[in-house]
Amino acid sequence: MTSMNRPLFGLLIGGLMFTGSAYAVDPLDQLMEESRAAVRDFAGALMAEVNRAAEAGGPLNVITVCNQVAPGLGAKYSQQHQMSIERTALKFRSPANIPDAWERSVMLSFLERSQNEPLQGMEHGEIRVEEGRTVFRYMMAIPTAQQCLACHGTEIPAPITRKLDRIYPTDTARGFQAGEMRGAFTIRREL
Ligand code: HEC
């Protein structure tokens, strides 16, 4: 193909893809599906790092992973999926994870829904206009599992408490029971 007709080829392919997706898939369904895939990737990578660190050096070592590796992985998968993906919580440990008003209200609605629905896989997505920009926002609840309690439970071992106190003097992400909502993945993308 010469460089002359390459743009035309691109246009044709782009047009085909556009008409294909525009008629076959509801755009909101597509955004939801892409968000689930991003959460799956991010959560999977995070769990793999946590398990590796736990095997290598126990919970104290895992704090370092949560502190340094989690934000880095968030940045990596944000770039790969071309959307912002992070973790947040109503009771958060790191001030970097403070929810905004929309995230707070969605998490409060998750708490309410969890009286009748399982937390696992609970999600919400919506297209909104924020400060004049059209954005898609999505959240998926993160339940507290047994293995989270060492750092987020009611009886956190003393060495862990000491390290957490040092790194996170304003930590409120403690006192959780297994099964409760620990926080949520949160995605934002401009449309
Ligand atoms: C070894 C300690 C440790 C364990 C175990 C642990 N976490 Fe955390 N968690 C942390 C630390 C440290 C942070 C703060 C990370 C940061 O600086 O972004 C954190 C932050 C979070 C956040 C982000 C919101 C916030 O509070 O800042 C979520 C959500 C979270 N953890 C969920 C979990 C879940 C779910 C599990 C179990 C599957 C778990 N954690 C197990 C130490 C731990």
Side-chain angles (χ1 to χ4, degrees), residues 7-8 20 24 32 42 73 86 90 98 108 116 130 143 145 149 183 191:
L8 179 62
M32 295 287 284
F42 181 31
L73 283 176
E86 293 172 334
L90 290 167
I98 293 179
L108 287 172
N116 312 303
E130 292 180 354
L149 300 181
L191 299 178

Side-chain angles (χ1 to χ4, degrees), residues 63-76:
I63 294 180
T64 312
V65 170
C66 295
N67 174 237
Q68 287 161 21
V69 179
L73 283 176
K76 176 182 163 188

Side-chain angles (χ1 to χ4, degrees), residues 101-121:
W102 183 83
E103 289 167 329
R104 261 187 65 82
S105 72
V106 172
M107 286 187 286
L108 287 172
S109 78
F110 283 172
L111 283 181
E112 209 165 303
R113 281 168 59 185
S114 70
Q115 293 172 356
N116 312 303
E117 273 177 67
L119 258 182
Q120 190 71 50

Side-chain angles (χ1 to χ4, degrees), residues 40-56 62 65 69 73 76-77 147:
R40 258 197 312 271
D41 279 2
F42 181 31
L46 199 53
M47 278 326 274
E49 287 293 337
V50 164
N51 290 336
R52 195 175 315 152
E55 275 167 32
V62 175
V65 170
V69 179
L73 283 176
K76 176 182 163 188
Y77 288 101
Q147 72 266 29

Side-chain angles (χ1 to χ4, degrees), residues 47 59 62-63 66-67 71 87-89 91-94 97 142-145 147-148 150-152 164 168 173 182-184:
M47 278 326 274
V62 175
I63 294 180
C66 295
N67 174 237
R87 295 185 305 167
T88 186
K91 293 205 282 174
F92 48 86
R93 170 153 291 163
S94 167
N97 300 329
I142 305 176
T144 307
Q147 72 266 29
C148 318
C151 298
H152 295 293
L164 290 176
Y168 303 99
R182 175 56 268 275

